Amino acid sequence: MSSTFETIANIIAETCDIPRDSITPESHAINDLGIDSLDFLDIAFAIDKAFGIKLPLEQWTQEVSDGKATTDQYFVLKNLAARIDELVAAKGA
Amino acid sequence: MRLEYFQLIDRVVDINISERRISCEATVPSVSTVFEGHFPGFPLMPGVLLVEAMAQTSGWLVSSINQFKRMSFLASVKEAKLRTFVLPGYVLNIESKLVHDGSGYAVLDAKVKNNGKQVCDATITLRVMEFPNQELAGEMLKMAARVGLTPEMALNG
């Protein structure tokens, strides 16, 4: 079974036509990969389907807007993978 | 259809919140300035307006699910297929089904039929957010009432 990071990297590569080998765990989806909010909706949809979860995008966006979180916490891919793992674990609990 | 106002749905025929689907009806007007240009001598319902009709139908469903407390805006259209010509006077049945209720967005499969024959279909993504102002929130309730959609239907549909 592929890791969470591998799955989301493949989703991003396919959805945004970004070379897979340019996507690393340290990549920032917005700052490094240039993914805009509309493309991120497609990515979120694919992630939601792949993992059976609902990424709380609105909550994350609000936290960033309020200064309670940084975009790095949610959009650096290794961190995004960790958030997804948490959501999957919470769903199974 | 009120083409000049970009209000393309005449009435909601059926809505089922638990099954996350809606069915609307719209009659293509016999006469419209749109047809003077599209096309002279061969009036044809523009495909972009059929796509908009699917988006508006999808929007009414999402609005109902959210009990008219949030607004939907068209974000993307995928796999749009315009299968046959749609002519003035056609009575269209427009259906939409919510396939994913995401955080701040919704994905729906929509289709349009005429006399039971599918004329177009698409996958619609809507952004779902707070109303930008109270004026729009109030106007949407009025528009919903005009197409026969009430908050009570949204709760009980």
Side-chain angles (χ1 to χ4, degrees):
Chain A
M1 181 182 289
S2 63
S3 70
T4 301
F5 166 74
E6 289 294 330
T7 301
I8 62 176
N10 290 336
I11 286 171
I12 289 170
E14 185 172 334
T15 304
C16 300
D17 200 19
I18 295 172
R20 171 62 186 85
D21 57 8
S22 68
I23 303 170
T24 73
E26 307 300 327
S27 299
H28 191 297
I30 301 165
N31 299 341
D32 297 328
L33 302 178
I35 297 169
D36 66 15
S37 63
L38 183 57
D39 281 336
F40 206 83
L41 286 188
D42 286 338
I43 292 167
F45 180 36
I47 288 173
D48 285 1
K49 282 197 300 182
F51 293 95
I53 58 173
K54 182 171 175 175
L55 284 184
L57 293 181
E58 290 184 294
Q59 177 191 326
W60 292 355
T61 303
Q62 191 63 50
E63 288 175 8
V64 170
S65 296
D66 293 345
K68 295 176 181 172
T70 66
T71 59
D72 287 7
Q73 289 175 248
Y74 300 125
F75 296 106
V76 169
L77 297 190
K78 65 180 181 185
N79 298 335
L80 177 60
R83 300 289 87 75
I84 291 169
D85 287 341
E86 290 169 1
L87 290 164
V88 171
K91 181 188 165 201
Chain B
M1 288 181 163
R2 304 170 79 206
L3 298 186
E4 68 276 27
Y5 291 98
F6 235 68
Q7 294 178 351
L8 302 178
I9 304 306
D10 291 338
R11 68 185 184 98
V12 174
V13 176
D14 184 38
I15 185 166
N16 189 314
I17 298 299
S18 61
E19 294 179 4
R20 311 205 294 186
R21 61 174 174 77
I22 189 172
S23 175
C24 296
E25 186 178 89
T27 300
V28 181
S30 298
V31 177
S32 168
T33 54
V34 169
F35 300 135
E36 294 176 16
H38 193 281
F39 295 99
F42 188 62
L44 197 62
M45 180 69 172
V48 291
L49 293 181
L50 293 170
V51 171
E52 176 66 19
M54 290 189 282
Q56 291 186 11
T57 297
S58 301
W60 286 127
L61 176 59
V62 173
S63 290
S64 298
I65 289 171
N66 289 306
Q67 297 173 33
F68 296 92
K69 292 174 179 163
R70 310 193 83 198
M71 181 68 187
S72 304
F73 296 94
L74 180 59
S76 78
V77 180
K78 293 190 176 69
E79 300 291 332
K81 292 187 172 68
L82 307 168
R83 299 177 184 278
T84 63
F85 289 156
V86 173
L87 305 179
Y90 275 23
V91 178
L92 304 177
N93 176 257
I94 309 153
E95 300 172 2
S96 185
K97 181 169 176 54
L98 180 70
V99 296
H100 185 67
D101 184 19
S103 173
Y105 72 100
V107 182
L108 304 99
D109 283 339
K111 57 190 171 189
V112 180
K113 294 179 179 176
N114 171 242
N115 279 334
K117 181 181 179 184
Q118 194 155 316
V119 298
C120 65
D121 44 81
T123 298
I124 305 285
T125 300
L126 302 174
R127 285 187 193 276
V128 184
M129 57 181 66
E130 302 301 314
F131 279 100
N133 58 53
Q134 283 307 302
E135 179 185 0
L136 177 59
E139 290 299 324
M140 288 304 294
L141 283 176
K142 291 179 190 172
M143 287 170 56
R146 189 182 64 77
V147 298
L149 191 58
T150 63
E152 290 72 26
M153 284 176 71
L155 282 173
N156 304 319

